[in-house]
Amino acid sequence: MQTRRSVIVSAAAAVALSAVPARAASAASVASGKAGPVRLTLPAPSGPHPVGTVSLHLVDASRSDPWITSQPYRELMISIRYPARAVGGHPAAPQMLAGEAAGFAALNSFTDVPGSQVDWSATRTHAHEGAPVDRRSGPLPVVCYSPGAGDPRSLGTTLCDDLASRGYVVVSVDHTYDASAVQFPGGRVEGSVLPAEFDNAYPDPGRIKALLQKTLAVRVADIRFVLDELPCALPRALRGMLDFGHTGMFGQSAGGFTALQAMHDDPRIAAAADLDGVLAYVQDDDAAGSLSTVAADGVDRPFLLIGKDGNDLSTVPSWDALWRHSRGWHRGLSLRGAEHATYTDAEALVPQIARRLGLPRKAVVENIGTIMPRHAIAAERACLAAFFDRWLRGRDDDGLLDGSSGRYPEARFF
């Protein structure tokens, strides 16, 4: 049963405005006798390129921060992943810095998973800090990534690393004061204000809707600022390697909503993929009304919808509205047995935590469903790459997105 503080607003639109630590008391007894906190690993990318990464601190002096009214500018942290020439001598980047890990543990939204028993800062990605870019195949198409509300940009590492290994430059964005914690140069950490904002709005439906609208508007403004700023903010080693004329975007939950709304609002985004993000300002996936402008207007550029098991045009009214109003190419599918968090790093991490701490199968299923993790990750990677290959590179995807096939039997097309 959900409490006020554990509400995930619109489980698929995923403007998750509150989250509390999992039930630590019961978890402590499960974990007793285990030596030290759990350390986790992420799956290796499937593409041919090693991956390099760099993080950038961007300041938007043209707008005051929407969440902290006394701050006259907006600050963001982004990560850029790219195909590297070689990675020897360059350390693997952490998934989360220490401050980010502490904030993530405090707002752990994984159901019945004891975040306090996990060393979130110990996980290493497959992207190497400062590795030299492979300039032989540039300039490269650009794909932006936005995480779910309350989540850090690092919770999409599995998919971001994989796209970079396939020859994309991937720009993942932390939405400051929305993400669980954002760590800036020098060690300063800014946490999420969304739980407090939701407490202030609850239970008034009008105030909750206004908060959802504000959250998405801030996110879209963040993405548009990143697209404005990035050409001049790039490190010298990456200049000339990004093909901004071929820019796409994807995201999970509220990040998927952000991706499609940003494409609606900004013609620079040529194609967008939404991983289980509802496109209306509602608290339930199946609620009608309160459509976003992207759902009400539709779009004229390609989009891909990928839902959890049961989310399709018949059950998510905002997806149906987008589908009917759009004029460009579009496809939709769900993965049999998938849950909302299947489209994050939870798919790889939660089973490891469950094994180490002896958690019941229910804890895994409630978070990532019944689909086998390796099948889910393989299908997500293949579908995303096929979508962006088709629309940012003009490559043939061998019909992967034209209908169900035996390659990924869990995929069910709308």
Side-chain angles (χ1 to χ4, degrees):
M1 178 178 177
Q2 290 182 325
T3 65
R4 268 182 66 191
R5 289 297 303 265
S6 66
V7 167
I8 300 228
V9 178
S10 181
V15 182
L17 297 183
S18 65
V20 296
R23 301 175 182 86
S26 60
S29 61
V30 172
S32 61
K34 302 292 183 183
V38 174
R39 293 188 167 211
L40 307 170
T41 60
L42 291 167
S46 62
H49 303 280
V51 178
T53 187
V54 63
S55 294
L56 298 181
H57 175 203
L58 303 181
V59 177
D60 185 356
S62 70
R63 58 177 171 146
S64 58
D65 193 280
W67 299 114
I68 307 297
T69 55
S70 61
Q71 185 164 300
Y73 51 85
R74 175 80 170 152
E75 291 181 281
L76 301 174
M77 288 298 298
I78 67 171
S79 292
I80 304 174
R81 284 171 157 74
Y82 52 87
R85 185 176 72 248
V87 296
H90 297 271
Q95 184 183 26
M96 301 181 198
L97 299 174
E100 294 166 339
F104 181 76
L107 285 181
N108 172 33
S109 60
F110 295 154
T111 304
D112 288 329
V113 173
S116 60
Q117 301 292 324
V118 177
D119 185 353
W120 298 105
S121 66
T123 308
R124 290 295 177 266
T125 71
H126 295 275
H128 295 258
E129 296 175 338
V133 65
D134 187 347
R135 305 191 70 88
R136 291 172 296 181
S137 55
L140 302 170
V142 179
V143 176
C144 295
Y145 172 76
S146 175
D151 287 341
R153 70 190 192 276
S154 55
L155 205 60
T157 293
T158 298
L159 293 176
C160 291
D161 277 358
D162 190 71
L163 279 174
S165 79
R166 295 172 183 252
Y168 289 89
V169 175
V170 183
V171 181
S172 54
V173 180
D174 259 337
H175 301 285
T176 313
Y177 304 114
D178 172 331
S180 51
V182 181
Q183 186 164 329
F184 290 94
R188 174 172 58 95
V189 178
E190 301 292 351
S192 178
V193 303
L194 293 187
E197 293 282 344
F198 182 77
D199 278 350
N200 289 336
Y202 184 88
D204 185 324
R207 295 182 67 184
I208 291 174
K209 178 180 176 181
L211 179 56
L212 299 178
Q213 291 172 322
K214 177 179 177 178
T215 302
L216 258 292
V218 172
R219 287 167 152 260
V220 171
D222 287 347
I223 297 302
R224 301 189 74 177
F225 165 68
V226 169
L227 293 178
D228 290 342
E229 190 74 6
L230 201 53
C232 296
L234 285 173
R236 183 178 300 276
L238 288 176
R239 291 180 186 175
M241 287 301 298
L242 279 67
D243 180 1
F244 291 106
H246 293 84
T247 297
M249 186 172 177
F250 79 106
Q252 185 265 349
S253 193
F257 191 166
T258 303
L260 280 173
Q261 187 65 52
M263 182 169 71
H264 172 274
D265 295 352
D266 196 316
R268 290 174 293 185
I269 299 174
D274 174 359
L275 308 183
D276 211 44
V278 166
L279 305 172
Y281 305 107
V282 295
Q283 296 184 65
D284 297 298
D285 297 6
D286 59 0
S290 299
L291 293 177
S292 62
T293 54
V294 66
D297 298 342
V299 290
D300 59 0
R301 279 153 285 156
F303 69 82
L304 175 67
L305 301 175
I306 305 181
K308 69 179 181 180
D309 198 346
N311 274 3
D312 57 30
L313 301 182
S314 68
T315 59
V316 184
S318 63
W319 284 9
D320 180 63
L322 172 71
W323 200 273
R324 288 185 289 105
H325 297 145
S326 293
R327 302 167 302 284
W329 182 98
H330 45 278
R331 293 287 187 276
L333 65 115
S334 60
L335 293 180
R336 186 175 64 250
E339 257 300 340
H340 187 56
T342 293
Y343 304 105
T344 72
D345 290 339
E347 188 66 26
L349 301 181
V350 168
Q352 296 177 59
I353 299 170
R355 286 194 299 271
R356 286 286 303 277
L357 299 183
L359 301 180
R361 175 170 168 74
K362 179 183 176 184
V364 176
V365 171
E366 287 184 346
N367 285 286
I368 61 170
T370 58
I371 189 171
M372 293 184 67
R374 70 174 184 274
H375 290 181
I377 292 168
E380 293 165 37
R381 286 172 163 179
C383 289
L384 269 181
F387 175 70
F388 289 123
D389 279 355
R390 179 182 285 205
W391 296 110
L392 299 184
R393 287 174 152 166
R395 293 183 177 177
D396 184 5
D397 60 19
D398 295 323
L400 178 62
L401 297 179
D402 292 331
S404 300
S405 72
R407 283 177 285 177
Y408 302 100
E410 289 87 357
R412 297 172 172 176
F413 283 78
F414 306 164

